[in-house]
Amino acid sequence: MIWLTLSRIKAIERTDISYILENTLQVTQESIYNWYFARKAYIETWTTSSQLLKLTKALLKAPRNREALLADPAMAKVRHLFSDSLIMHGYLDFFIIAPDNLNVASLNQETLGQTSLIASHSQSLPKVFRGYFQLTHPIMAAVALPDRSGIRVNPLPTMFTCAPIKDETDRVIAVLALQVGPDYDFSRITTIGRFGRTGDTYAFDRTGRLLTKCRFDDILHKIGLLNTGQQSILNMVIRDPGGDMTRGFRPDGPQAQRPLTRMAKQAAAGNAGIDLDGYRDYRGVPVVGAWTWLDELNFGLATEIERTEAYRSFFNTRLIVLVALGIVVSMFLG
């Protein structure tokens, strides 16, 4: 009777955990898509502007060096066009990128006439020059960026929304890229997927590299998976250390040789799934989780919670029942 009761309680608990994981993952996924389409709609209002097209044509005719671009009258006009609106909508900077991948306009003059950071660290620009909107994954910025307190820090991760600028014949003549810090929006969206004491939701690429901040940066510093001052975005890969590092386990060999976690391996292959039995996360802590791969955005999304917290109610109930059973058996034998 006790065994049947505990089996039934565990089945109910698994159903509840499954619902929480899948619902959290779904809500976070929908929030990311809403943010994605809002960013797409905003940048497309600019790329269809006749005023921006006129200024872009003028800047494309200027020599590709900082001094000549700064001296061109079109530069001051296009900066004035963007300056107030960018801040209002949470962007850090804008870039007009010529077909040779050089920046011909931006608020930060350090990047003028230089090869676009997007061209150096992303495969997005060729797709945009073919006429498609693109959201880049977070990449490390080349110049100092303001953090949440407004203080310029270098380097910080950054992202770009990119859309083609087309002329009257529908030919792509340049790319408009709007820069945003992942901390301001992208990572903040995934924090809605944090629940309980250890529940966390995060995004990652096909190599398992984190694209958003995780909940356990402080712990990752203590156990040596992150260096002092590092944050988890772009610096942490979801690899299985082989044991619980929060309890003193230390794996042999370099981190790059460790396999991806069971979840990351499945998601990187394009498979959605859920695991209620438990697997080790990047800290080596047993967790249960649900995950999916977002083809349009080309990254994975996972929601996890430590197994001990997820099954705490069942473990407590089981302990109480078994203690009571032990007392009853002892009395009966006595």
Side-chain angles (χ1 to χ4, degrees), residues 20-314:
I20 292 170
L21 290 172
E22 291 179 329
N23 188 60
T24 302
L25 187 67
Q26 181 66 28
V27 169
T28 308
Q29 179 179 331
E30 290 176 0
S31 298
I32 287 175
Y33 271 120
N34 288 338
W35 174 79
Y36 169 79
F37 288 119
R39 294 295 184 184
K40 181 180 180 182
Y42 176 75
I43 195 172
E44 287 177 349
T45 62
W46 285 107
T47 55
T48 55
S49 164
S50 59
Q51 188 177 5
L52 179 64
L53 176 60
K54 180 181 178 181
L55 294 171
T56 300
K57 286 181 177 180
L59 289 167
L60 290 174
K61 293 177 183 178
R64 300 285 202 272
N65 63 75
R66 184 183 306 168
E67 291 73 19
L69 289 168
L70 285 172
D72 196 296
M75 178 63 72
K77 293 179 181 179
V78 76
R79 283 180 165 182
H80 178 73
L81 194 66
F82 277 102
S83 57
D84 294 336
S85 181
L86 287 182
I87 296 172
M88 187 184 304
H89 289 85
Y91 290 98
L92 302 174
D93 205 341
F94 79 95
F95 297 87
I96 295 177
I97 305 168
D100 55 5
N101 292 338
L102 296 182
N103 298 318
V104 296
S106 69
L107 292 177
N108 191 330
Q109 65 181 30
E110 295 178 37
T111 61
L112 292 176
Q114 297 184 357
T115 300
S116 167
L117 180 68
I118 306 170
S120 305
H121 296 85
S122 172
Q123 304 299 317
S124 299
L125 274 187
K127 296 178 183 178
V128 187
F129 276 111
R130 291 198 298 270
Y132 299 98
F133 168 82
Q134 287 287 292
L135 171 71
T136 72
H137 288 175
I139 53 183
M140 201 59 71
V143 296
L145 295 174
D147 61 12
R148 286 176 179 259
S149 60
I151 301 172
R152 287 192 166 267
V153 180
N154 189 38
L156 280 179
T158 188
M159 296 176 72
F160 298 88
T161 56
C162 308
I165 300 174
K166 299 180 181 180
D167 64 12
E168 296 82 359
T169 64
D170 209 36
R171 180 175 63 92
V172 178
I173 63 170
V175 166
L176 174 64
L178 301 182
Q179 184 178 20
V180 63
D183 253 6
Y184 300 145
D185 287 305
F186 190 48
S187 266
R188 186 170 52 81
I189 291 173
T190 59
T191 61
I192 67 176
R194 294 179 180 177
F195 55 98
R197 293 186 303 102
T198 61
D200 195 17
T201 301
Y202 53 86
F204 52 93
D205 64 17
R206 287 196 186 275
T207 66
R209 186 176 56 168
L210 284 179
L211 302 179
T212 57
K213 288 184 70 173
C214 74
R215 185 171 188 167
F216 306 107
D217 276 23
D218 292 342
I219 294 176
L220 295 178
H221 286 117
K222 290 178 181 177
I223 62 179
L225 291 177
L226 286 179
N227 296 326
T228 303
Q230 276 188 329
Q231 53 181 316
S232 48
I233 300 179
L234 301 181
N235 293 311
M236 186 66 207
V237 180
I238 312 168
R239 298 186 183 278
D240 182 358
D244 190 344
M245 295 183 68
T246 65
R247 294 180 177 272
F249 176 82
R250 292 295 180 267
D252 296 326
Q255 186 178 353
Q257 294 180 359
R258 302 168 200 164
L260 295 178
T261 66
R262 187 189 309 171
M263 176 281 297
K265 194 180 301 181
Q266 289 287 322
N271 301 320
I274 185 168
D275 189 326
L276 300 177
D277 295 320
Y279 58 91
R280 287 186 295 269
D281 68 358
Y282 46 83
R283 301 167 297 158
V285 177
V287 296
V288 294
W291 59 87
T292 188
W293 186 262
L294 310 181
D295 286 320
E296 188 170 1
L297 303 179
N298 194 33
F299 61 73
L301 194 65
T303 295
E304 296 174 336
I305 185 171
E306 291 184 9
R307 188 174 183 275
T308 53
E309 182 178 6
Y311 287 101
R312 177 174 288 113
S313 296
F314 170 71

